[in-house]
Amino acid sequence: MACFTVPAAEAIITTVAEKIIKSKEKKMALSGAVNTKAESEVSEKITLSTKIGWLNKMLWGGSALLAFEHVWHGEVVPFFPFLTAVKDGNAMEMLHEMATAGVSMALLVTAVWGIMVGVVSMMEKKSKKTDSPAALAL
C-alpha cells in the first residue's frame, strides 16, 4: 500500500546528506587543504559523496518502481487522499505494511549498498598496495 514511502524518505535524507558532503568536499579541494601526495591518492579514491550517490540511485529507483507497482494495482490514486487504504479506513494495515515491508526493504537496500562500499574499499586498498613504490620495485 505505502511501503515505498519508507525507502523514499530515506532517499530524501541521503540526497540532502550527499549535497552537504559534496559541498564540503568541494570546499576542501578549493582551499588547498590537501597536499600534492594526498591529492594523487584522493583522485584514485572514490569520494564519500559518490558512494552516497550510489545509495540514492538504488533507493530512488526502488521507490519509483514500487510506487509504479502500487499505482498499477490501484493502491495509489491521483486524487486525495492518494492512498486507497486511507480512503477505505485501512490506515492501520497500511502503517503495519510500512513498518514491516517498507523498513525491511530500506534496510536491505542499505545493507547491499554497504557491502558494495566494503568491496570497493577493499579493491582500493589492494590497488594502493600494488601501486606503491615498494611493490613496483619487485
Side-chain angles (χ1 to χ4, degrees), residues 78-91:
F79 47 84
F80 189 80
F82 306 110
L83 301 169
T84 56
V86 175
K87 182 180 175 187
D88 297 339
N90 296 331

Side-chain angles (χ1 to χ4, degrees), residues 25 41-52 54 116-117 120-121 123-124:
E25 288 171 348
E41 291 176 5
V42 169
S43 65
E44 294 174 9
K45 195 171 185 179
I46 299 173
T47 62
L48 179 60
S49 62
T50 301
K51 292 175 183 176
I52 293 176
W54 298 341
M116 284 175 44
V117 169
V120 167
S121 295
M123 291 173 65
E124 287 175 338

Side-chain angles (χ1 to χ4, degrees), residues 109-129:
V109 169
T110 305
V112 169
W113 170 77
I115 292 168
M116 284 175 44
V117 169
V119 169
V120 167
S121 295
M122 288 190 313
M123 291 173 65
E124 287 175 338
K125 286 179 184 177
K126 186 176 181 181
S127 173
K128 187 176 178 182
K129 286 181 183 177

Side-chain angles (χ1 to χ4, degrees), residues 1-121:
M1 288 175 219
C3 59
F4 66 91
T5 59
V6 176
E10 183 183 357
I12 291 168
I13 293 166
T14 58
T15 300
V16 171
E18 179 190 12
K19 301 294 182 192
I20 292 169
I21 292 168
K22 192 177 280 191
S23 69
K24 287 184 180 182
E25 288 171 348
K26 189 179 276 188
K27 284 180 186 177
M28 284 182 57
L30 291 176
S31 70
V34 182
N35 63 21
T36 56
K37 182 180 178 186
E39 282 178 8
S40 64
E41 291 176 5
V42 169
S43 65
E44 294 174 9
K45 195 171 185 179
I46 299 173
T47 62
L48 179 60
S49 62
T50 301
K51 292 175 183 176
I52 293 176
W54 298 341
L55 177 60
N56 285 338
K57 289 175 181 83
M58 292 169 67
L59 289 167
W60 283 119
S63 297
L65 185 62
L66 284 168
F68 175 75
E69 186 269 334
H70 286 304
V71 169
W72 187 269
H73 288 109
E75 296 169 345
V76 177
V77 291
F79 47 84
F80 189 80
F82 306 110
L83 301 169
T84 56
V86 175
K87 182 180 175 187
D88 297 339
N90 296 331
M92 290 304 293
E93 183 181 335
M94 178 191 70
L95 292 174
H96 181 265
E97 181 184 326
M98 289 170 63
T100 55
V103 170
S104 297
M105 288 185 290
L107 289 175
L108 180 64
V109 169
T110 305
V112 169
W113 170 77
I115 292 168
M116 284 175 44
V117 169
V119 169
V120 167
S121 295

